[in-house]
């Protein structure tokens, strides 16, 4: 919505500016047409159309990023990794480091895409939002261990994404206690 308003404002502004700069030429247009007047009007129209095209291109790029997120998230490897992480909680087994690495890398990338504005946050309002918050909670010990051992920035994008989703959509994950499971 905001982009549309900006586009309309730019078009209106460019028309007003062209009328202001070429007021005399436009009023005497019926008498004689100068080449410089036509070139000036064409340049302004070209600039406005360039701005509109860039807005359109950004929209297409966002759509492609959204499509890519959903396609990559549903691969067999990602499905298995999520399953392994959830199993570690449900069955009380150790966290699978390979699955944790895959999950952290995947959501780190998409968290950085959100942070840089290449992926809109609203796509996480669906079912993937609560899952991301839950997965982040479950792999937090693994992330902390990796940060202590070799990379203090490990999983930073994943953490950013989980916090933004929690803040924006109020999704939280509260692990079930052993008393509730019985």
């Amino acid at each position: 919505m905001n982009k549309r308003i900006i586009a309309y404002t730019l078009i209106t502004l460019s028309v007003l500016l062209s009328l202001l700069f070429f007021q005399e030429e436009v009023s005497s247009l019926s008498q004689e047409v100068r080449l410089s007047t036509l070139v000036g009007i064409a340049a302004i129209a070209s600039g406005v159309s360039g701005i509109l095209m860039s807005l359109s291109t950004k929209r297409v790029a966002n759509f492609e990023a959204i499509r890519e997120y959903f396609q990559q998230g549903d691969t067999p490897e990602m499905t298995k990794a999520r399953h392994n992480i959830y199993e570690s909680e449900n069955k009380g087994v150790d966290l699978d480091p390979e699955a944790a690495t895959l999950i952290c890398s995947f959501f780190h990338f998409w968290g950085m895409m959100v942070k840089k504005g290449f992926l809109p946050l609203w796509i996480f309002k669906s079912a993937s939002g609560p899952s991301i918050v839950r997965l982040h909670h479950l792999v937090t010990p693994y992330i902390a261990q990796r940060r202590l051992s070799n990379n203090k920035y490990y999983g930073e994008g994943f953490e950013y994404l989980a916090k933004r989703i929690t803040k924006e959509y109020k999704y939280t994950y509260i692990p079930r206690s052993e008393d509730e499971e019985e």
Side-chain angles (χ1 to χ4, degrees), residues 128-181:
S128 64
S131 297
I132 292 169
V133 173
R134 180 180 179 197
L135 286 166
H136 182 263
H137 174 80
L138 295 174
V139 299
T140 295
Y142 175 78
I143 292 172
Q145 178 186 8
R146 289 288 302 265
R147 286 181 178 172
L148 287 175
S149 66
N150 65 355
N151 182 354
K152 65 181 180 177
Y153 302 109
Y154 186 80
E156 196 173 65
F158 187 14
E159 182 177 359
Y160 170 82
L161 182 61
K163 285 181 179 180
R164 280 287 310 271
I165 291 169
T166 301
K167 181 180 176 184
E168 184 74 23
Y169 301 117
K170 311 296 187 252
Y171 295 145
T172 56
Y173 178 69
I174 301 169
R176 292 176 21 191
S177 68
E178 291 181 21
D179 298 333
E180 293 174 9
E181 292 176 6

Side-chain angles (χ1 to χ4, degrees), residues 12 18 27-28 58 61 69 80 85 108 120 129 133 138 150 179:
T12 304
S18 65
S27 64
S28 67
K58 184 174 181 182
Y69 166 73
K80 183 179 178 190
I85 299 296
H108 172 75
V133 173
L138 295 174
N150 65 355
D179 298 333

Side-chain angles (χ1 to χ4, degrees), residues 9-33:
T9 304
L10 287 172
I11 290 171
T12 304
L13 187 62
S14 67
V15 169
L16 289 175
L17 283 174
S18 65
L19 289 174
L20 178 70
F21 288 132
F22 301 109
Q23 183 177 9
E24 290 177 22
E25 286 84 357
V26 170
S27 64
S28 67
L29 192 60
S30 61
Q31 297 169 359
E32 75 178 57
V33 177

